[in-house]
Amino acid sequence: MFAQPAAVQAQARFQQAWALHQGGQLAQALQLYEQVIQAQPKHFDALHLAGVISLQLGHADKAVDLITRALKIDRDSVSALNNRGAAYMELRQYDLALLNYNKAISLDPKAPKSYNNRGNTLGKLNRLDEALQDFDKAIELDPVYFAAYNNRATVLSDLLRYEEARASLNRAIELNPESVDAHWNLGMLLLRLGEFEQGWLESEWRLKRPQALGLKDSYAAPMWTGAEPLTGKTVLVCSEQGLGDTIQFCRYAPLLADMGARVVFEVQPALMDLLQHLPSVELIAQGSEPPAHDFHCPLMSLPMLVKTDLSNMPPPPDVIRVEPTQRATWQALLGEKRKPRVGLVWSGNPSHVDDYKRSIPLQDFAQILGDDIEWISLHKDVRASDQAVLASHPAIRHFGADQKVFTDAAAICELLDLIIAVDTSLAHLAATMGKPTWMLLAHSADWRWLQDRQDNPWYPSLKLYRQGKPGDWAGMLQTVRADLDQLFTKAA
């Protein structure tokens, strides 16, 4: 019996890999694609699809390498160009993604997917009008293209064209009534507009993706719906999303105790020390085994369940306590105060989906820093791109290595006159403490900061600054500098 030629064996293995890929068995399919590539290093489809799976599995660098090898075999593959663009998007290398989408469109100007992909990239680059044109073109080519309507709404929101964004999301939901993304996006839009009742309802769609929120797929007890009496019952309140969300919404957990419940509040481990004095609740760390409970409830469902609107927001809790010894330690580290002290937070978590909008390069921030103020960095960690700038600005005092727990940041805040921060958990911390806090917001800010106002009902001590146009921090920072001059001249 004759052995099969290597090419025949490789193609049979490729077909097996393709079947596994179609069936969602990605790791097994990738292994077989790699065997095909080993046997036939110029097998375009195996290279391309191995790259696609690598991207799906979160290995964008590997995806770029594999798809680039495929494109050396067929440089005019629109599909491969789109997928390499997606890998560059995942790596936040937006200019390289744009080059791939531009070439894909030049090769096939009638492919709606390429316009949709390029629109997303242009949005990340704050080229919003061009992005909108691409989404409109994608819809012109495919009038029932759900993703283009959904993405178009994001850009319209970034342009503050909220009613058009609402219409685009409504059309997206008509096309795909079960889309979590479209419903959640609509919820965020409605909340930003102050339409809380419907906004809370739409935002509940997020619960269909619990793992993305840091929640479990299932709980031992049913979810509290707001209708069941709580007297004598135990409720597990589950933190979700980011640290700032927990700090902002922890005010809701004691409300359930007021209804007669025993409240067990599951929080991120980093916040255990900070929130230990939250009244009428028992804290446990996420990942630990909760006690027996009658109901569970995601933290950010509570505003809906207690019917929160602009007229009845519960105030920030008086929860944050700095121990005298900890305060004394930080007083010693900071030394004698000789001029106004201002805390700085110029960036947030780089993995946050909107980090490209909300964080400010320290080089830009440094333009307004004078020696009339003692500038205190509240950062524990400084991203690599800012470290050289920080080192070259000795006027900014940085104590990252000295911060061991979140209450260290609280201790620093207690010793400051003012905190200036982008939209991060540290801004929530300072505002919860009632410290004067100036928050620097992107042109299209998160829903909780509403629109067209400098104050905010969630935090009485908060003052909001908003970009005049997308991506423009310079004008805002000059306004901040002028307000600092006025504030401390008055104080003097």
Side-chain angles (χ1 to χ4, degrees):
M1 187 173 182
F2 295 103
Q4 287 183 313
V8 174
Q9 288 181 335
Q11 192 58 27
R13 190 163 286 141
F14 174 80
Q15 293 299 331
Q16 184 182 1
W18 173 245
L20 290 167
H21 192 171
Q22 292 294 95
Q25 299 181 61
L26 301 184
Q28 298 93 321
L30 178 60
Q31 187 176 21
L32 289 178
Y33 283 141
E34 288 173 339
Q35 290 176 15
V36 174
I37 294 165
Q38 189 172 10
Q40 292 190 303
K42 293 189 176 182
H43 194 297
F44 170 83
D45 288 326
L47 287 163
H48 179 204
L49 293 173
V52 170
I53 289 181
S54 296
L55 180 58
Q56 290 175 294
L57 293 175
H59 306 299
D61 281 321
K62 183 177 179 180
V64 167
D65 177 64
L66 287 162
I67 299 172
T68 297
R69 289 167 62 187
L71 282 164
K72 287 179 180 177
I73 300 162
D74 180 1
R75 66 180 60 188
D76 293 337
S77 168
V78 171
S79 179
L81 287 164
N82 269 300
N83 286 322
R84 188 170 67 174
Y88 279 127
M89 283 287 285
E90 194 67 26
L91 294 168
R92 303 191 182 193
Q93 298 180 27
Y94 302 129
D95 290 329
L96 291 175
L98 189 61
L99 291 174
N100 280 268
Y101 297 139
N102 285 342
K103 184 172 182 183
I105 288 170
S106 71
L107 290 167
D108 184 0
K110 299 295 184 183
K113 181 178 179 180
S114 299
Y115 290 100
N116 178 67
N117 289 343
R118 189 172 72 176
N120 283 331
T121 307
L122 291 166
K124 297 290 189 184
L125 292 168
N126 278 319
R127 294 163 60 177
L128 302 181
D129 290 323
E130 296 170 78
L132 187 59
Q133 291 174 10
D134 271 354
F135 294 129
D136 287 341
K137 182 65 175 179
I139 290 167
E140 175 190 322
L141 293 167
D142 182 358
V144 292
Y145 193 173
F146 157 77
Y149 281 103
N150 189 43
N151 294 330
R152 178 175 179 269
T154 298
V155 167
L156 287 166
S157 289
D158 286 346
L159 290 166
L160 311 189
R161 292 162 60 175
Y162 295 127
E163 291 309 314
E164 293 171 83
R166 188 202 304 249
S168 196
L169 285 170
N170 285 335
R171 178 59 176 147
I173 290 169
E174 286 178 10
L175 293 169
N176 187 353
E178 297 302 310
S179 167
V180 173
D181 285 337
H183 281 286
W184 196 359
N185 288 342
L186 180 59
M188 297 301 98
L189 174 62
L190 295 173
L191 291 172
R192 180 185 289 117
L193 295 174
E195 298 180 27
F196 277 46
E197 183 176 2
Q198 189 61 33
W200 296 130
L201 283 170
E202 292 289 348
S203 69
E204 287 296 282
W205 280 77
R206 76 193 187 284
L207 299 178
K208 292 184 178 290
R209 290 186 186 156
Q211 290 187 350
L213 306 172
L215 298 171
K216 298 175 184 175
D217 287 330
S218 62
Y219 288 85
M223 181 173 162
W224 184 58
T225 69
E228 300 87 353
L230 293 182
T231 301
K233 303 296 184 182
T234 298
V235 181
L236 176 67
V237 176
C238 310
S239 292
E240 53 172 298
Q241 302 180 57
L243 299 179
D245 298 296
T246 301
I247 295 171
Q248 178 178 358
F249 290 97
C250 71
R251 66 188 74 185
Y252 283 92
L255 300 184
L256 301 187
D258 294 342
M259 299 178 194
R262 173 196 175 197
V263 181
V264 179
F265 188 17
E266 182 185 66
V267 305
Q268 296 93 334
L271 297 180
M272 286 289 288
D273 68 314
L274 189 75
L275 301 181
Q276 63 181 303
H277 298 291
L278 191 66
S280 306
V281 305
E282 304 168 34
L283 289 192
I284 62 169
Q286 269 184 349
S288 61
E289 187 65 28
H293 50 281
D294 301 288
F295 301 103
H296 82 278
C297 189
L299 178 62
M300 295 181 71
S301 293
L302 286 174
M304 178 193 72
L305 295 174
V306 302
K307 299 180 169 42
T308 298
D309 60 31
L310 288 171
S311 70
N312 63 5
M313 289 179 177
D318 181 17
V319 62
I320 297 170
R321 305 277 190 276
V322 177
E323 298 298 327
T325 54
Q326 191 176 28
R327 180 186 174 93
T329 297
W330 281 100
Q331 279 183 321
L333 282 168
L334 291 178
E336 183 181 353
K337 181 182 174 187
R338 301 179 184 276
K339 56 181 86 170
R341 278 182 174 154
V342 176
L344 294 179
V345 183
W346 58 86
S347 65
N349 182 349
S351 66
H352 190 283
V353 66
D354 282 334
D355 184 65
Y356 74 100
K357 287 197 297 189
R358 69 172 184 167
S359 291
I360 306 175
L362 181 55
Q363 183 62 53
D364 294 352
F365 217 131
Q367 305 304 312
I368 68 164
L369 306 184
D371 61 8
D372 56 327
I373 291 171
E374 186 179 355
W375 306 98
I376 308 295
S377 163
L378 286 170
H379 287 264
K380 186 177 188 303
D381 301 304
V382 175
R383 60 183 64 184
S385 59
D386 287 331
Q387 287 175 2
V389 179
L390 180 63
S392 67
H393 282 80
I396 307 173
R397 302 183 66 194
H398 180 64
F399 298 92
D402 298 298
Q403 293 191 52
K404 308 301 181 186
V405 290
F406 220 121
T407 48
D408 284 322
I412 301 173
C413 286
E414 276 199 352
L415 300 168
L416 302 177
D417 298 299
L418 171 71
I419 293 89
I420 301 176
V422 295
D423 184 0
T424 68
S425 60
L426 288 167
H428 286 276
L429 167 68
T432 296
M433 295 174 67
K435 296 292 294 186
T437 305
W438 294 359
M439 185 181 287
L440 312 184
L441 296 176
H443 186 62
S444 173
D446 191 71
W447 66 269
R448 70 200 77 207
W449 313 126
L450 303 171
Q451 56 171 336
D452 301 329
R453 54 192 294 173
Q454 283 190 306
D455 68 332
N456 185 262
W458 293 105
Y459 295 113
S461 70
L462 192 62
K463 181 178 181 181
L464 302 176
Y465 292 79
R466 299 174 188 267
Q467 286 180 340
K469 60 183 180 181
D472 178 24
W473 293 112
M476 174 204 289
L477 288 170
Q478 290 307 315
T479 300
V480 169
R481 180 66 248 192
D483 286 355
L484 282 169
D485 291 341
Q486 183 178 23
L487 173 67
F488 293 121
T489 299
K490 281 183 179 178

